[in-house]
Amino acid sequence: MDESMLLGRLCQQAIHINEQALADLQHPPLPANAVHDCRVAVKQLRAQWQLLRPWLSRDDHRAFDHNIRSAARLLAGARDNHVMAATLQKLASKADKPQRHSLSRVATTLFSDPDPQPEASHHQEAITAFALDQQRWQSLALSISDHELLVSGLARTYKQCRNRTIKAQGSSDPQHWHDLRKWVKYLLYQQQALADQHIHTPSHDADLERLGKTLGKLHDLHMLREHVQAHSHAIEKQKDLAHTLDAIHGREKRLLKKCQPESQRLFQAPTKKWIARVSAT
């Protein structure tokens, strides 16, 4: 592995991610899959900035991260409603008959628009955010050796996952699991970016993807519960509200039983031992 080639290649990857997102945003109305792809792009770009966090000032990183995160938030309404509706429909499909009817009525009441679009102003602001991020990657002036990028940048991300796993264990606080979900995604996207440069870690992408998806489902349920509670006044029958909240709670408990041992297994190794096993091929 050459002394300092990774940073330049990561910059090119980030520029390409921004280009693709900008291309996707050029043709409104946006289908759900295009909104999803743009939000994934935001997560990938935030992961890249997190990888470089040790070499950025606090203010610079905050500005870079806030800008690209704003693109996801601007598109969030369309995506979040789509996901919450799909989550509720899936819960209904697995419920017994009385509950199924209750959940279906709640879904009809709360999600009458199956594919809402982001506001036109939000759409344009998202384009602006991706364009600015692209410019920042194009003009980035850092000097980081490949070795430093791994032992300081990548190791920091793994350590964050490990620390958040320890904090989340035995906790039912959704915020702890949401924090872990974000860092699992960062580690996954950083690993995928580095794998393109033939850098491999002890954590398999498939394991991180599986944990990330389970944590993502847990987060979707948390969002759905908050949405249902916030709009409970629109639900005519109290038994429909009760059945819906019970179904959400039951699914959350089952997912937590999966998340706890899986996260422990993935992040049990101390950070120094983990990073020592990172290899280049």
Side-chain angles (χ1 to χ4, degrees), residues 174-189:
Q175 188 58 47
H176 292 162
W177 293 102
H178 177 48
D179 288 344
L180 175 60
R181 180 183 72 93
K182 289 190 294 185
W183 284 95
V184 168
K185 288 288 187 181
Y186 290 155
L187 183 60
L188 173 62
Y189 291 134

Side-chain angles (χ1 to χ4, degrees), residues 13-276:
Q13 286 178 353
I15 290 167
H16 176 74
I17 291 169
N18 277 300
E19 286 176 348
Q20 184 58 56
L22 288 167
D24 289 342
L25 289 167
Q26 293 305 315
H27 304 289
L30 299 178
N33 65 313
V35 174
H36 171 75
D37 289 347
C38 286
R39 285 171 61 85
V40 169
V42 168
K43 292 173 186 176
Q44 291 173 323
L45 293 164
R46 292 186 72 192
Q48 302 273 64
W49 286 123
Q50 283 291 350
L51 188 60
L52 303 184
R53 176 63 186 88
W55 299 276
L56 298 170
S57 71
R58 182 178 180 180
D59 287 346
D60 280 350
H61 179 264
R62 183 177 293 172
F64 297 170
D65 185 70
H66 177 79
N67 169 69
I68 197 59
R69 183 178 59 182
S70 71
R73 289 182 172 175
L74 291 164
L75 299 170
R79 183 268 179 192
D80 290 347
N81 277 339
H82 177 83
V83 169
M84 285 189 291
T87 300
L88 187 51
Q89 288 167 3
K90 189 167 184 179
L91 287 174
S93 71
K94 295 185 176 182
D96 58 27
K97 196 170 184 179
Q99 270 197 325
R100 189 183 315 133
H101 292 318
S102 287
L103 270 62
S104 295
R105 283 192 291 268
V106 171
T108 300
T109 300
L110 299 186
F111 303 107
S112 57
D113 183 356
D115 194 18
Q117 288 292 309
E119 296 179 19
S121 60
H122 288 178
H123 181 270
Q124 186 55 51
E125 288 174 46
I127 291 175
T128 301
F130 278 111
L132 177 57
D133 192 74
Q134 184 179 42
Q135 291 171 13
R136 283 172 167 158
W137 283 103
Q138 289 170 333
S139 61
L140 190 66
L142 292 176
S143 178
I144 308 169
S145 74
D146 293 352
H147 177 74
E148 286 179 306
L149 194 64
L150 298 178
V151 301
S152 296
L154 186 64
R156 172 180 172 271
T157 303
Y158 175 84
K159 185 176 182 179
Q160 294 284 358
C161 290
R162 179 171 160 79
N163 288 346
R164 279 161 173 75
T165 293
I166 294 169
K167 190 172 184 179
Q169 290 301 318
S171 171
S172 58
D173 185 342
Q175 188 58 47
H176 292 162
W177 293 102
H178 177 48
D179 288 344
L180 175 60
R181 180 183 72 93
K182 289 190 294 185
W183 284 95
V184 168
K185 288 288 187 181
Y186 290 155
L187 183 60
L188 173 62
Y189 291 134
Q190 289 173 12
Q191 286 193 176
Q192 289 175 339
L194 291 167
D196 289 344
Q197 314 307 325
H198 310 292
I199 305 296
H200 305 283
T201 83
S203 302
H204 296 297
D205 285 1
D207 291 336
L208 293 173
E209 284 178 354
R210 184 169 56 251
L211 177 59
K213 284 181 180 179
T214 305
L215 290 168
K217 291 176 183 177
L218 193 63
H219 181 58
D220 292 341
L221 287 165
H222 173 63
M223 289 179 56
L224 176 60
R225 183 177 65 248
E226 288 194 333
H227 186 79
V228 169
Q229 290 173 332
H231 296 83
S232 59
H233 60 277
I235 301 171
E236 291 184 9
K237 298 181 178 180
Q238 282 300 304
K239 73 170 185 178
D240 289 352
L241 175 62
H243 283 164
T244 301
L245 294 176
D246 284 347
I248 292 171
H249 180 66
R251 179 63 174 152
E252 283 177 324
K253 285 180 67 177
R254 291 190 293 274
L255 288 174
L256 274 174
K257 285 185 178 180
K258 291 182 179 180
C259 292
Q260 289 170 342
E262 186 67 9
S263 57
Q264 268 188 317
R265 182 183 68 82
L266 279 175
F267 304 116
Q268 63 182 338
T271 303
K272 287 185 178 179
K273 287 187 177 180
W274 183 86
I275 199 65

